[in-house]
Amino acid sequence: MKVILADYSGFCFGVEKAIVTTFEELDKEDKNQKIFSLGPLIHNVQVVKELEARGVDVIEDIELVSEGSVIVRSHGVPKKIYEAADRKALTLIDATCPFVKRIQTIVEDHYKEGYTIVIIGNPQHPEVVGINGWCDNKALIIQEEEEVKKLPNIEKLCIVVQTTMSISQFEKIAAALEKKAKEVVKFNTICSATKQRQKSAKDLAQKVDAMIVIGGYHSSNTQKLVSICNDIRPTATFHVETAKDLPVEELKQYDLVGVTAGASTPKWIITEIIQKLRNI
Ligand code: F3S
């Protein structure tokens, strides 16, 4: 069997940075100092288990921690978490993706200058919740164009967008918002990593007989890759988390197989799967 890996797959820059930062901290951490992760570091069960084995506990609320270090994951957190860490004299290991940090800074600065902040994105997503926490949770969060109609007219508007939104959705909603305000500043803060992964999965699915998509079953960016590949190879797209999930017997009928992976999939899982496929 011939196996081709998509040009862009697996860890994005921000996730890679979060993992490296965490493992570096673990290596240098003095043994008595406990490390906590505020939410699972990435959407990958295997990595979270490995971190747990090294003593990193996942917590949902910083108020539950009285000493040690707390990791902020790539999605970022509201400003109040930094204040809580200061107040409680906790060490914050800040692995916020620089692209997310940039949005937080834009929002904080414009909010201080009197702009109404609009975040185009999913209100439940931790990245959006985090960004909103840099303007006193006063942002208007818009996910669908329809929602813009219900808004009153606004004097000064600052528009940002969740890093993983689709560009067409952003443009549609931003255009509708622009009609609602006298003064608008608009920042396209979509990160190219998601788009690159989706485009290269689509290109590869067109060239091969079957596609393997690697990533957490609950990871939304992985599910999006699965649906893109499914559209092209409806009966020959397989979503797996690890090498043991590969349907080996079924795969024997294919000569050329493509592999892609979600942004939270570590390289060692991808390598193991490619190796197993090559042996079929
Ligand atoms: Fe950062 Fe983009 Fe990844 S915003 S966390 S590099 S998807």
Side-chain angles (χ1 to χ4, degrees), residues 8-12 15 43-44 197 212-216 219-223 225 239-240 260-266 270:
Y8 293 96
S9 66
F11 281 172
C12 61
V15 169
H43 290 141
N44 181 281
R197 271 152 191 74
I212 309 292
V213 184
I214 314 166
S219 144
S220 62
N221 77 83
T222 308
Q223 284 165 355
L225 291 175
H239 180 183
V240 299
T260 187
S264 307
T265 310
I270 303 175

Side-chain angles (χ1 to χ4, degrees), residues 28-89:
K28 75 176 178 209
E29 200 61 44
D30 97 53
K31 295 266 184 302
N32 305 320
Q33 178 88 303
K34 182 84 189 146
I35 299 189
F36 301 91
S37 163
L38 202 45
L41 189 64
I42 62 170
H43 290 141
N44 181 281
V45 179
Q46 291 71 31
V47 173
V48 172
K49 273 193 186 150
E50 196 182 333
L51 286 169
E52 259 171 27
R54 295 201 53 184
V56 178
D57 285 349
V58 177
I59 47 152
E60 295 303 331
D61 184 355
I62 197 166
E63 296 301 336
L64 302 174
V65 181
S66 50
E67 56 180 4
S69 304
V70 176
I71 305 163
V72 171
R73 58 191 173 167
S74 55
H75 295 316
V77 289
K79 191 176 182 179
K80 67 167 196 247
I81 300 293
Y82 293 82
E83 292 161 355
D86 256 5
R87 175 169 38 84
K88 295 166 78 77

Side-chain angles (χ1 to χ4, degrees), residues 12-15 74 97-100 127 163-164 191-194 263:
C12 61
F13 159 78
V15 169
S74 55
C97 174
F99 300 135
V100 176
E127 177 191 318
T163 53
T164 48
C191 165
S192 59
T194 312

Side-chain angles (χ1 to χ4, degrees), residues 141-184:
I141 303 171
I142 306 284
Q143 199 168 10
E144 302 293 338
E145 195 184 347
E146 280 300 290
E147 298 163 37
V148 179
K149 287 187 193 140
K150 294 179 209 145
L151 297 180
N153 286 338
I154 296 161
E155 203 56 33
K156 288 164 75 178
L157 198 60
C158 168
I159 306 173
V160 294
V161 53
Q162 186 181 338
T163 53
T164 48
M165 266 313 245
S166 86
I167 182 88
S168 60
Q169 188 77 341
F170 165 63
E171 280 170 352
K172 249 192 315 183
I173 297 176
L177 282 166
E178 280 176 79
K179 293 184 191 133
K180 286 274 177 185
K182 274 196 191 152
E183 188 195 330
V184 179

Side-chain angles (χ1 to χ4, degrees), residues 5 124 141 227:
L5 179 63
Q124 262 94 49
I141 303 171
S227 104

